Amino acid sequence: MQSIVVLFIMSLVVFTMINLVGDPVDMLVNPESLPDEIERVRSDFGLDQPAHIQYIKFLQGALSGDLGNSFIFGRPALALIAERFPATLELATCALIIAIVFGLPLGIYAGLNPKSLGTRIIMGGSVLGISIPTFWLGLMMIIIFSVVLGWLPVSGRGDIGSFLGWQSSAFTLDGLSHLIMPAINLALFKIAMVIRLARAGTVEVMSLDFIKFARARGLPPENLVRFHLLPNILIPIITVLAIEFGTLIAFATVTETIFAWPGLGKLVIDAIVNLDRPIVVAYLMFVVTLFLLLNLIVDIIYAALDPRVRLNGDQQ
Amino acid sequence: MTDLLDIKKMSVSFQTEYETIDAVRNVSITLRPGEVLGIVGESGAGKSTIGNAIVNLLEPPGEITRGEILFKGQDLRNLDDKQMRDVRGKKIGMIFQDPQTSLNPLMTIGAQLIETINKTINIYGSEATNKAIELLESVGIDESEARLNLYPHQFSGGMRQRVVIALALAGNPDLIIADEPTTALDVSIQAQILDLIKRLCQERQVGVIIITHDIGVIANISDRVTVMFNGQAVESGDVKQILTNPKHEYTKSLIAAVPRGDRKVERFKSIDYIEGGAQTQRRIDLDQHWLGKKFTQHFSDTAISINNLNKKYSLKKAFLKRNRSYVHAVKDVSLSIKKGEIFGLVGESGSGKSTIARLVAGLVRTDKGSIKLFDQEVTNKSKGKDVIAARRNLQMIFQDPYSSLNARMRVQDIVSEPINYYKTASTNMEMRQIVRDLLDHVGLGSNAMLKYPHQFSGGQRQRISIARALASRPKILICDEPTSALDVSVQAHILNLLKDLQDDLGLTILFISHDLPVIRQMCDRVAVMRHGSICEIATTDSLFEKPQHEYSKHLLELMPKTDF
């Protein structure tokens, strides 16, 4: 219920704002066209109508799953987004996996050994990870690994393989070599974030009574970390990561542009430059829906991880 | 018989950047199998540090600087981390204070038990499950097989503490160290848990060390006792001898400060030994002073009258009425408190006594019924000037002196806030003078004015709370467990202060406590509460001499007795 209200408000805001910037017709027609030619294009796209009529038409379309046709490509905006989405999803998923695989152990290590040299290096590195701009790092990676060393391809998406009916470039060697650099580039900031969250969580949980009690029962460190520490620090980390996964998908634009990754980011940047309104609107609606979905997933995971928030009321 | 545990002249210190704190100094302890040793002392005495030092679970930077810890003839200090892990759980089990926090909230108790069984006695699979069931049964949890799949939050506090004990027993230890095992529990549960520990100790011939601040617990369960003060063991010996015939000054004053349940004394004996001599206390002349200013307004003789008071808290919200569920926190409570009376409310946790305090103070809304302060109706339906004026006559003192003071305000601002709000002082100068006098009057001294709450100890903070409550010149004070977060010696001081104030200012006090001896010492009349309703209202003496209601009798029986 709330989600529908949010979606509706968002559509209103997006539609109003986008109507304030520029005139898409200027981008669509040859500047030397005759005035009645321009008028014809304008009425073809329905842009001669007042904004509120346009909005009502948009809403009617949206309710039947049609967010309008792209001005440039002349195809449904949603279909274009759906086409590009797998590439971005793949990139974001890889980045997320990298962030968890590296961030979690490093963060826990830092939390368990607050004074060791390793911790200082990790925490220093995480500050770097947060503060280095993504675009600069992307360019540096291209220069080092592609231009100087020649190990990895500069840009684009490689061959696509299929595994269990799932199509992704992560399943071929060529695809992987294309994927690895943008994924790491995108993941770097998230690694730093996961490190900081995991460390803070570890420090907090390790000081709690049940950890002390577990140690007093003679449990070895591996049990402490695996069964007692990890599940307890995962709850806040998962909450944050789910939302961050949304931002990875929605705002991977910079990385996608640098590595010429054929994903959503590139589509949107082009659409904004060309004032291709339906695509921008459809994209923003898509992002809102994505975040709403992610929130729902977080709630479900939360209930799965934490028995205290399960609602089935199996109190004795 | 050889000693199970023999600690020889152990010292523990915490070295920080600025100073070295000697938490434990030259303490020697011995324990035989099947014996219960009590270690008693107030907060900061180093008693918990001893327990942690034995199993080497000291928080850094704490370390054992001197002495030997001989466990079955072996010095535990010489063991490395891995050997120490074999001692923990298998040879020495520990029980901690708060069963709410000592279990992992995300694991079923079965998983936690089985994990411990796997690691300590190397039994796996269905055998481990059977052992877990057996353990739960031995600590008195029935239907234990089904309960293995429950999470800690699905158990009550007492049941959780039983699970904790089962976990401590999982590795068949020879020694159990229980650090304040019943402090977080109600009296009736406390008695059960102590019985359980005592029984297990005898059945399994294990040695038990009970660390507690509560002399009543020591008197009930232990065979011998060591009294700790300021890091040193000031006295040890047979429990009967120590409690009836203490040698050391500190032990004497500690025992004297414990409120007695059996008869009423005029004032609590305060432990001046601890606070280092008498305090210089300037008291103000109330007849001349702002605080004692007489009102021209006439007050009726009934300070608080409550009629058919009801409060429900919703457990589950739902759109449809039939899907909602409630706890009936206060059920048809009626009582009246005379002016100048100290009225006690006693009951176990969840009995609704704090809810009544909150309702009377107007912190939560009443569902049904009426509350009158000096004949002025103050329930939520009535508003207006009269209600505000009536509410001004009532102030509250809360249980936890740490969270009830704003940490970012200076003491003078905290105390002057009500004066400012009600505009009862004409100038800033006058206000500051009043604050100074109030702080003097509660025994803090006026140089406290510019400090922040964290610079004070628990007892001093509670004095600040009292000064703040007095600042609106109340006629009624509600004290919700005002001393249960404090040490006995400090408790004695605070209770004496409240009594003096009540005498001097003619205050009416609604005094809420779960602690029967404290109630006995403080109150004129008492109401016993259970499940939201009042079982019995009687004068304190008649309640303690001849309780009428079954539940009152039951509570009085459970009251820990310090004499023999």
Side-chain angles (χ1 to χ4, degrees):
Chain A
M1 189 59 210
Q2 276 170 330
S3 330
I4 293 167
V5 175
V6 169
L7 262 178
F8 175 74
I9 293 172
M10 191 61 197
S11 76
L12 198 65
V13 171
V14 167
F15 209 86
T16 317
M17 297 306 250
I18 203 139
N19 265 291
L20 295 176
V21 274
D23 184 355
V25 181
D26 290 347
M27 309 297 291
L28 289 170
V29 297
N30 189 333
E32 279 147 42
S33 322
L34 295 171
D36 53 331
E37 172 75 359
I38 294 176
E39 277 316 303
R40 197 182 54 76
V41 173
R42 195 180 292 276
S43 67
D44 274 357
F45 287 111
L47 292 168
D48 54 342
Q49 314 266 0
H52 63 277
I53 304 282
Q54 286 185 39
Y55 179 63
I56 288 167
K57 280 198 171 156
F58 163 77
L59 267 193
Q60 283 168 347
L63 287 177
S64 56
D66 172 18
L67 293 177
N69 286 354
S70 159
F71 294 159
I72 311 281
F73 300 98
R75 293 171 49 206
L78 264 186
L80 282 167
I81 286 175
E83 227 165 69
R84 299 293 194 96
F85 181 59
T88 297
L89 183 66
E90 170 186 305
L91 187 62
T93 311
C94 277
L96 190 72
I97 291 170
I98 292 172
I100 294 171
V101 166
F102 286 93
L104 214 48
L106 289 176
I108 291 176
Y109 172 84
L112 291 178
N113 309 287
K115 282 185 179 151
S116 78
L117 182 68
T119 298
R120 282 183 209 167
I121 295 171
I122 292 168
M123 296 320 288
S126 82
V127 172
L128 271 184
I130 285 179
S131 40
I132 290 179
T134 316
F135 72 91
W136 180 83
L137 193 78
L139 293 175
M140 288 301 122
M141 284 168 83
I142 291 178
I143 291 173
I144 294 170
F145 294 107
S146 306
V147 180
V148 178
L149 294 171
W151 291 351
L152 296 167
V154 179
S155 65
R157 195 178 178 204
D159 296 342
I160 290 170
S162 161
F163 181 72
L164 298 173
W166 176 272
Q167 304 242 322
S168 166
S169 58
F171 303 130
T172 66
L173 210 59
D174 177 58
L176 214 55
S177 71
H178 279 88
L179 180 61
I180 190 95
M181 218 160 35
I184 289 176
N185 182 235
L186 199 56
L188 215 69
F189 183 86
K190 308 297 172 200
I191 293 179
M193 205 186 63
V194 174
I195 287 178
R196 303 207 140 242
L197 283 173
R199 189 185 81 116
T202 304
V203 170
E204 194 195 317
V205 172
M206 285 308 280
S207 69
L208 294 181
D209 280 355
F210 67 83
I211 293 285
K212 195 176 168 195
F213 184 48
R215 285 172 66 196
R217 304 202 295 270
L219 297 180
E222 54 272 21
N223 278 47
L224 283 182
V225 170
R226 229 177 99 200
F227 300 116
H228 297 269
L229 173 69
L230 197 59
N232 279 290
I233 63 168
L234 269 185
I235 292 174
I237 292 180
I238 280 179
T239 316
V240 176
L241 274 188
I243 301 303
E244 287 296 324
F245 186 58
T247 62
L248 277 178
I249 292 178
F251 309 118
T253 322
V254 174
T255 304
E256 289 190 359
T257 310
I258 292 170
F259 292 94
W261 189 261
L264 277 178
K266 221 170 156 307
L267 177 76
V268 170
I269 287 286
D270 292 346
I272 291 172
V273 169
N274 293 325
L275 279 179
D276 195 349
R277 280 182 192 168
I279 293 215
V280 178
V281 172
Y283 172 75
L284 288 174
M285 298 312 292
F286 167 77
V287 169
V288 173
T289 317
L290 181 77
F291 274 94
L292 290 173
L293 267 179
L294 281 171
N295 263 318
L296 178 70
I297 292 170
V298 168
D299 285 348
I300 292 170
I301 295 178
Y302 222 96
L305 277 179
D306 192 341
R308 288 164 297 185
V309 299
R310 272 174 220 161
L311 290 173
N312 48 10
D314 48 357
Q315 297 268 336
Q316 39 166 202
Chain B
M1 195 149 53
T2 55
D3 288 336
L4 179 65
L5 181 75
D6 185 6
I7 299 179
K8 287 179 182 158
K9 290 187 183 280
M10 179 179 72
S11 294
V12 179
S13 58
F14 289 77
Q15 184 133 27
T16 64
E17 253 172 82
Y18 310 104
E19 55 184 338
T20 305
I21 300 159
D22 296 315
V24 174
R25 278 176 285 176
N26 270 335
V27 170
S28 300
I29 285 171
T30 56
L31 182 74
R32 286 187 298 274
E35 186 183 45
V36 181
L37 170 74
I39 298 181
V40 69
E42 298 190 272
S43 49
K47 52 194 195 310
S48 288
T49 311
I50 295 179
N52 291 334
I54 294 170
V55 289
N56 198 12
L57 277 178
L58 289 169
E59 300 285 332
E63 60 174 340
I64 304 168
T65 48
R66 248 180 313 137
E68 288 176 344
I69 305 172
L70 296 174
F71 177 74
K72 291 184 166 174
Q74 185 185 26
D75 191 351
L76 295 180
R77 284 189 68 193
N78 296 333
L79 301 181
D80 62 21
D81 276 357
K82 199 170 172 315
Q83 289 166 316
M84 198 65 218
R85 220 177 295 138
D86 285 339
V87 171
R88 290 183 204 138
K90 279 186 220 177
K91 308 258 173 62
I92 302 178
M94 285 197 88
I95 301 167
F96 289 111
Q97 172 173 0
D98 192 351
Q100 312 273 11
T101 56
S102 32
L103 296 171
N104 183 347
L106 305 183
M107 272 170 97
T108 61
I109 59 151
Q112 301 192 44
L113 272 166
I114 288 166
E115 176 196 33
T116 311
I117 291 165
N118 289 165
K119 293 295 168 190
T120 50
I121 47 179
N122 301 315
I123 295 178
Y124 296 90
S126 60
E127 264 184 81
T129 314
N130 289 337
K131 172 83 181 162
I133 295 169
E134 192 187 303
L135 275 171
L136 285 184
E137 268 159 15
S138 74
V139 295
I141 294 180
D142 47 3
E143 297 167 42
S144 46
E145 193 166 354
R147 286 186 166 154
L148 284 180
N149 296 320
L150 295 181
Y151 289 92
H153 72 276
Q154 291 164 309
F155 287 85
S156 65
M159 291 288 264
R160 248 181 269 190
Q161 197 63 304
R162 285 171 192 268
V163 174
V164 167
I165 294 172
L167 278 165
L169 291 174
N172 297 325
D174 305 310
L175 168 66
I176 291 176
I177 301 170
D179 192 349
E180 304 270 7
T182 56
T183 309
L185 304 173
D186 275 332
V187 261
S188 55
I189 315 285
Q190 164 169 319
Q192 292 169 14
I193 295 289
L194 291 180
D195 281 350
L196 173 67
I197 292 175
K198 185 93 189 169
R199 183 173 57 96
L200 292 169
C201 164
Q202 281 158 358
E203 275 173 14
R204 299 179 177 229
Q205 278 298 301
V206 295
V208 176
I209 296 180
I210 292 243
I211 297 165
T212 181
H213 69 282
D214 189 340
I215 293 200
V217 168
I218 295 284
N220 269 2
I221 185 170
S222 55
D223 305 313
R224 285 188 307 125
V225 62
T226 292
V227 183
M228 293 284 298
F229 171 64
N230 206 2
Q232 285 169 312
V234 292
E235 197 167 358
S236 330
D238 181 64
V239 82
K240 204 164 176 176
Q241 176 251 315
I242 297 256
L243 291 186
T244 50
N245 188 17
K247 297 268 185 301
H248 195 272
E249 275 308 306
Y250 174 72
T251 319
K252 283 182 193 164
S253 51
L254 186 68
I255 291 169
V258 176
R260 300 179 66 99
D262 49 347
R263 62 188 159 81
K264 189 156 179 162
V265 289
E266 266 316 295
R267 283 178 67 86
F268 293 99
K269 287 190 186 142
S270 53
I271 309 185
D272 289 332
Y273 183 80
I274 295 168
E275 296 204 337
Q279 288 173 317
T280 47
Q281 209 182 90
R282 187 175 69 88
R283 303 194 65 100
I284 44 184
D285 181 7
L286 287 165
D287 289 337
Q288 305 295 321
H289 193 263
W290 174 89
L291 186 63
K293 196 173 147 193
K294 297 282 183 293
F295 293 92
T296 44
Q297 189 192 344
H298 172 74
F299 284 104
S300 74
D301 283 342
T302 316
I304 303 175
S305 102
I306 295 173
N307 250 315
N308 290 321
L309 191 64
N310 275 280
K311 177 72 191 172
K312 286 177 187 170
Y313 287 115
S314 68
L315 282 179
K316 208 169 103 192
K317 286 180 185 160
F319 185 66
L320 291 173
K321 221 171 188 166
R322 65 189 146 97
N323 290 343
R324 295 177 204 163
S325 61
Y326 299 97
V327 220
H328 213 141
V330 175
K331 257 184 271 182
D332 289 325
V333 167
S334 303
L335 53 89
S336 76
I337 302 173
K338 289 197 287 283
K339 196 168 77 175
E341 188 179 34
I342 303 185
F343 189 90
L345 264 184
V346 69
E348 297 189 275
S349 55
S351 60
K353 51 193 197 307
S354 285
T355 307
I356 290 189
R358 278 152 198 276
L359 288 167
V360 173
L363 294 173
V364 288
R365 307 182 119 236
T366 28
D367 288 344
K368 247 193 316 193
S370 87
I371 301 168
K372 286 181 182 160
L373 302 179
F374 295 113
D375 291 340
Q376 171 63 49
E377 178 69 44
V378 291
T379 38
N380 31 306
K381 275 152 205 124
S382 45
K383 287 202 175 80
K385 250 185 164 170
D386 296 344
V387 177
I388 293 173
R391 288 224 179 284
R392 199 178 109 191
N393 289 321
L394 180 145
Q395 288 295 317
M396 199 157 169
I397 293 162
F398 294 91
Q399 171 173 6
D400 183 2
Y402 292 87
S403 57
S404 59
L405 296 172
N406 186 336
R408 298 193 194 284
M409 276 167 83
R410 288 179 195 277
V411 170
Q412 68 171 8
D413 299 325
I414 291 174
V415 178
S416 65
E417 206 177 13
I419 305 177
N420 257 330
Y421 178 73
Y422 289 117
K423 301 196 176 56
T424 41
S426 43
T427 59
N428 257 348
M429 280 291 288
E430 191 194 347
M431 185 176 76
R432 221 163 289 150
Q433 187 57 45
I434 292 168
V435 172
R436 201 167 295 143
D437 293 344
L438 279 173
L439 288 174
D440 273 340
H441 200 71
V442 298
L444 267 181
S446 48
N447 52 2
M449 282 176 83
L450 294 175
K451 293 186 186 166
Y452 288 93
H454 70 262
Q455 292 167 290
F456 296 93
S457 68
Q460 287 173 320
R461 281 173 205 234
Q462 208 59 309
R463 286 174 194 265
I464 300 174
S465 298
I466 294 172
R468 174 177 63 182
L470 292 178
S472 72
R473 280 187 293 201
K475 295 275 141 212
I476 304 168
L477 272 186
I478 299 180
C479 305
D480 189 356
E481 305 263 9
T483 57
S484 39
L486 305 174
D487 275 332
V488 259
S489 58
V490 184
Q491 163 171 299
H493 282 292
I494 296 291
L495 293 179
N496 279 339
L497 173 66
L498 283 172
K499 270 193 159 176
D500 292 347
L501 288 171
Q502 194 260 345
D503 281 348
D504 296 348
L505 299 168
L507 294 174
T508 310
I509 297 181
L510 174 57
F511 191 92
I512 293 162
S513 180
H514 67 280
D515 192 336
L516 285 163
V518 169
I519 290 275
R520 167 120 218 205
Q521 299 307 323
M522 287 298 289
C523 304
D524 303 319
R525 284 196 306 148
V526 191
V528 181
M529 285 198 71
R530 188 189 197 188
H531 301 324
S533 19
I534 289 180
C535 301
E536 183 174 358
I537 300 182
T539 62
T540 311
D541 285 336
S542 71
L543 177 80
F544 279 78
E545 304 300 333
K546 290 191 290 288
Q548 301 298 314
H549 195 277
E550 279 306 310
Y551 181 67
S552 316
K553 286 179 194 160
H554 176 66
L555 268 187
L556 285 171
E557 263 167 36
L558 293 169
M559 183 170 74
K561 289 170 187 63
T562 45
D563 48 3
F564 291 86

